[in-house]
Amino acid sequence: MPEALPTSYRVRDDLVISPNLVLAPMEGVTDITFRRLIRQIGGCGMTFTEFIPAAGLSRGGARELLLATFDEAERPITIQVFGNDPTVLAEGARVAQDLGASAVDLNMGCPSKRVCAHSGGSALLKEPLLVARIVRAMRAAVSIPFTVKMRSGWEPERENAVEIARIAEAEGAEAIAVHWRTRSEKYGGQRRLDTIAAVRQAVGVPVLANGDIVDAPSALHTLRQTGVHGLMIGRGAIKNPWVFREIEAALHGLAAPIVDEAEKERVLLAYFDAIRETFRHEKAALGRFKKISKYFIDGIRDGESLKVQILRSQTPDEAIGHIHEHFEGLKVRAVRAPAMPPRAERARS
Ligand SMILES: Cc1cc2nc3c(=O)[nH]c(=O)nc-3n(C[C@H](O)[C@H](O)[C@H](O)COP(=O)(O)O)c2cc1C
């Protein structure tokens, strides 16, 4: 019998996520331009905005409204908000609903000092009673699906994701995403999936696993080890925007689609063009190029030198020039040194 791994999950009848692969919220990355790129490539069942301060959103702040902008074709999309005041968060959720979001999500994962200092993000994990009040208020404020995303706890000695997940479910959260790291581990630590598996056992709503899912093997391993309904992918999607298609294929027992260097060059350049369109100021566009390049270029052959060149670039044109040169160089080298046939073929010929 082939093993049956889930390929979709149902939040409610009007929100079925298929494939069950979700783009994680990432500040300064998952804006409308990046999400368009992910949607065009395909394989992603739902996208998230980056976290948006509920206070600014509820005031109708221009920056916050811009962050919440999405294309109609992008659905389903979740608007994620953060804060620590139940009334303000409820108002932020209401605005997200008015903007037409498919779902609204509460951030309980952000490790940044700025956010945690005001008891927002992952600092909420230390205050279960406040979590209950926030979830209750947000749930009551909207009729669209309401979800939460969290880390596994504040620090390894105080992992309380199961407790928080139970509270969130009891107060009406309809799906729960869990990043296996605690707040104190930031982006390091040893990958542990037991807490995610425990959350999956503890609640009846769909659970998404998050953290270091970067390809088909890590995706299948996570699904098998945790029994979750779906996967949420962050940095792996910046490094390899085709990762959703690769995992979707694997879930159906198919081989990964082949993405050659010409396709990577085309996508990277088209994406940088789109960034320039969005960020009319050259400096802001260059800043975004650099942020994306740190990850994307890891997926390009001999990319280390290109990464350094882009990080040193003074203008977007200079960075784009380096990309052209790099891919031209790869083409020239491929013509001069055609790939060696596999050993078995060499032996036969
Ligand atoms: C640049 C960056 C920005 C992030 N911003 C957010 C955010 O706005 N909201 C949130 O819930 N998590 C945020 N995260 C955390 C990710 O959503 C995710 O939980 C984390 O990166 C682990 O998943 P990954 O290993 O697939 O990247 C951010 C992560 C990165 C790298």
Side-chain angles (χ1 to χ4, degrees):
M1 274 272 284
E3 73 179 321
L5 290 173
T7 56
S8 67
Y9 65 92
R10 180 181 299 268
V11 180
R12 3 163 137 164
D13 286 349
D14 57 353
L15 187 62
V16 175
I17 308 303
S18 177
N20 54 345
L21 308 172
V22 174
L23 175 66
M26 286 183 285
E27 181 191 15
V29 177
T30 56
D31 64 355
I32 193 166
T33 315
F34 185 79
R35 299 194 314 262
R36 276 182 191 144
L37 167 75
I38 293 298
R39 284 295 190 189
Q40 277 158 13
I41 290 177
C44 174
M46 178 161 67
T47 54
F48 265 63
T49 66
E50 66 183 71
F51 70 169
I52 304 177
L57 194 61
S58 56
R59 276 197 307 270
R63 179 179 166 274
E64 287 79 8
L65 289 175
L66 189 65
L67 291 175
T69 309
F70 59 88
D71 293 323
E72 270 308 303
E74 201 184 327
R75 288 169 187 289
I77 173 155
T78 298
I79 293 183
Q80 189 191 58
V81 294
F82 76 95
N84 71 342
D85 181 314
T87 311
V88 174
L89 280 160
E91 190 49 33
R94 211 179 339 258
V95 174
Q97 172 169 276
D98 290 348
L99 292 171
S102 318
V104 62
D105 183 84
L106 170 67
N107 177 306
M108 292 196 280
C110 180
S112 96
K113 281 205 178 113
R114 179 174 54 88
V115 172
C116 290
H118 302 285
S119 303
S122 53
L124 286 176
L125 300 174
K126 292 192 291 184
E127 301 191 60
L129 293 177
L130 178 58
V131 170
R133 285 175 50 220
I134 289 173
V135 174
R136 195 177 313 144
M138 292 178 78
R139 171 66 289 166
V142 293
S143 55
I144 56 173
F146 167 64
T147 63
V148 300
K149 172 172 181 281
M150 63 171 139
R151 286 186 175 239
S152 64
W154 180 253
E155 54 200 357
E157 303 72 38
R158 280 203 277 172
E159 282 206 347
N160 63 345
V162 167
E163 177 194 8
I164 298 287
R166 284 200 172 116
I167 291 172
E169 180 184 36
E171 298 294 349
E174 290 168 281
I176 298 172
V178 188
H179 177 186
W180 62 263
R181 291 184 177 85
T182 59
R183 189 266 181 180
S184 69
E185 286 164 297
K186 298 214 168 114
Y187 287 94
Q190 275 291 331
R191 185 175 157 88
R192 306 175 308 275
L193 294 173
D194 48 332
T195 305
I196 298 180
V199 171
R200 164 69 181 92
Q201 290 300 318
V203 296
V205 295
V207 174
L208 304 186
N210 171 237
D212 302 333
I213 297 161
V214 292
D215 51 19
S218 53
L220 298 187
H221 176 76
T222 304
L223 283 172
R224 287 186 189 119
Q225 294 293 309
T226 61
V228 292
H229 305 77
L231 303 173
M232 179 179 263
I233 300 164
R235 292 163 299 170
I238 321 176
K239 180 172 169 183
N240 173 16
W242 295 270
V243 70
F244 297 101
R245 273 177 44 193
E246 178 187 331
I247 298 172
E248 186 188 20
L251 285 175
H252 290 95
L254 303 171
I258 291 169
V259 183
D260 61 16
E261 243 125 37
E263 177 69 352
K264 288 186 182 170
E265 179 184 15
R266 188 191 66 72
V267 164
L268 185 60
L269 290 171
Y271 177 53
F272 277 17
D273 270 352
I275 292 177
R276 276 179 116 167
E277 279 284 307
T278 316
F279 294 90
R280 302 233 166 237
H281 295 292
E282 296 269 278
K283 223 173 144 189
L286 183 64
R288 187 56 64 100
F289 279 18
K290 291 183 181 182
K291 187 156 194 174
I292 297 294
S293 298
K294 275 193 233 158
Y295 296 93
F296 192 109
I297 289 173
D298 281 343
I300 293 175
R301 189 151 55 99
D302 301 337
E304 208 43 47
S305 58
L306 174 60
K307 199 190 288 188
V308 173
Q309 286 168 326
I310 292 182
L311 292 179
R312 287 189 184 149
S313 295
Q314 301 292 319
T315 64
D317 280 337
E318 189 186 337
I320 286 172
H322 288 309
I323 295 173
H324 282 299
E325 276 164 29
H326 184 81
F327 281 99
E328 280 313 309
L330 291 182
K331 280 173 214 158
V332 170
R333 269 179 276 159
V335 171
R336 285 208 195 120
M340 288 282 274
R343 188 186 289 261
E345 271 180 43
R346 269 185 275 150
R348 274 201 302 273
S349 59

